Amino acid sequence: MIVIANWKMNKNKTEVNLFMNEFSNKLNQIETLSLNKKNILFSPSFPFLSELQSSYSDKFSFVAQNCSHHKYGAYTGEVSVDMIKSININYVMIGHSERRIYFGESSEILIKKINLCLDNDITPIVCFGESIEERKSNNHLDAIKNQLNIVPLNNQNKLILAYEPIWSIGTGLVPSVNEIKEVHSFVKSFINAPILYGGSLNNKNCDEIFNIHEVDGGLVGGASLEPDSFISIITKANEIFKNSIKDVD
Ligand code: 13P
């Protein structure tokens, strides 16, 4: 069971520190904490990764929200996988729909990023999910299969996947249990990797979603921005993990 807080482009340094203090204190109050740093991950913006990793690496793991598809060189503003690895970060999010849509990241670019991660012993967290049009026309499974062509099947055991229907991100709309089950089972039929669910996941719906057998955790956006709301998601994940020993490795 893995739960990742994706803070996207939110929180300055003061806000990051306030969150981490409050969250860590509240986490200490959970009586039986079965989750550990393999299970609770944070994805802050680049400026804060190094400091958070140094201060909290015994408790949590950290995820870069992006990386360059180039190895190194004259690419102003880019951050290489080697730089990320050099501050002991072992996860990078790849292909989030916000990057595909707003920054035009194509499958070719995403394949390069995944390969650079794997070459540097970094686990790529590969996001995928259908648009509302693909869902409405019942083409969602084909669209997903197409998107997942970027996954190198010879390295499938070194990846984490995240199913994030585009129409569910930040909208409050969540697929039904059966719809999530359908997609996760379908993907598990051809890729052997843990699959997280993401899209309007919150402390009210996470119980039902985490209890779906094919769901191996969550990728949380908006509901990870406040310590209280994220701690209740972690508390639910902890209970389910404790009862089912549902781990990903
Ligand atoms: P929301 O939880 O805000 O819908 O965002 C989901 C997401 O994009 C996580 O990566």
Side-chain angles (χ1 to χ4, degrees), residues 4 6 8 93 96-98 127 164 168-172 198-202 219-224:
I4 306 176
N6 177 10
K8 310 190 180 184
M93 220 182 295
H96 192 285
S97 61
E98 287 154 12
C127 305
E164 299 206 305
S168 173
I169 296 176
T171 59
S200 297
L201 194 56
N202 60 37
L219 181 51
V220 191
S224 72

Side-chain angles (χ1 to χ4, degrees), residues 39-210:
N39 311 108
I40 306 175
L41 296 85
F42 288 92
S43 194
S45 294
F46 275 125
F48 313 118
L49 264 181
S50 181
E51 194 176 321
L52 289 180
Q53 168 68 17
S54 304
S55 307
Y56 291 99
S57 62
D58 55 329
K59 284 189 177 165
F60 313 120
S61 297
F62 294 91
V63 181
Q65 291 179 14
N66 184 30
C67 65
S68 174
H69 60 288
H70 298 291
K71 215 168 171 178
Y72 60 89
Y75 301 103
T76 302
E78 290 289 90
V79 176
S80 74
V81 166
D82 177 56
M83 293 168 189
I84 293 168
K85 186 69 186 182
S86 71
I87 55 165
N88 301 316
I89 299 296
N90 292 317
Y91 301 89
V92 176
M93 220 182 295
I94 304 282
H96 192 285
S97 61
E98 287 154 12
R99 295 221 55 90
R100 296 186 200 239
I101 296 167
Y102 303 138
F103 302 95
E105 293 192 356
S106 62
S107 297
E108 290 69 35
I109 285 180
L110 300 179
I111 289 171
K112 287 184 185 166
K113 292 185 180 202
I114 292 173
N115 287 334
L116 281 169
C117 285
L118 293 172
D119 290 347
N120 282 275
D121 250 340
I122 283 186
T123 303
I125 300 170
V126 180
C127 305
F128 65 94
E130 79 281 2
S131 66
I132 191 66
E133 294 76 23
E134 288 159 345
R135 166 64 62 179
K136 281 191 174 153
S137 59
N138 207 26
N139 279 326
H140 53 290
L141 295 184
D142 283 346
I144 284 168
K145 178 102 200 200
N146 236 341
Q147 278 180 21
L148 288 172
N149 276 340
I150 61 174
V151 169
L153 292 178
N154 54 337
N155 274 312
Q156 49 188 300
N157 58 338
K158 297 185 183 141
L159 306 164
I160 294 174
L161 303 180
Y163 171 48
E164 299 206 305
I166 297 170
W167 51 275
S168 173
I169 296 176
T171 59
L173 300 171
V174 179
S176 68
V177 166
N178 281 341
E179 286 170 337
I180 296 175
K181 240 178 180 314
E182 180 197 39
V183 170
H184 282 230
S185 315
F186 171 67
V187 175
K188 279 177 186 279
S189 72
F190 60 93
I191 302 180
N192 179 21
I195 309 179
L196 317 181
Y197 170 78
S200 297
L201 194 56
N202 60 37
N203 54 11
K204 305 218 165 49
N205 59 29
C206 67
D207 201 2
E208 188 174 53
I209 293 173
F210 288 161

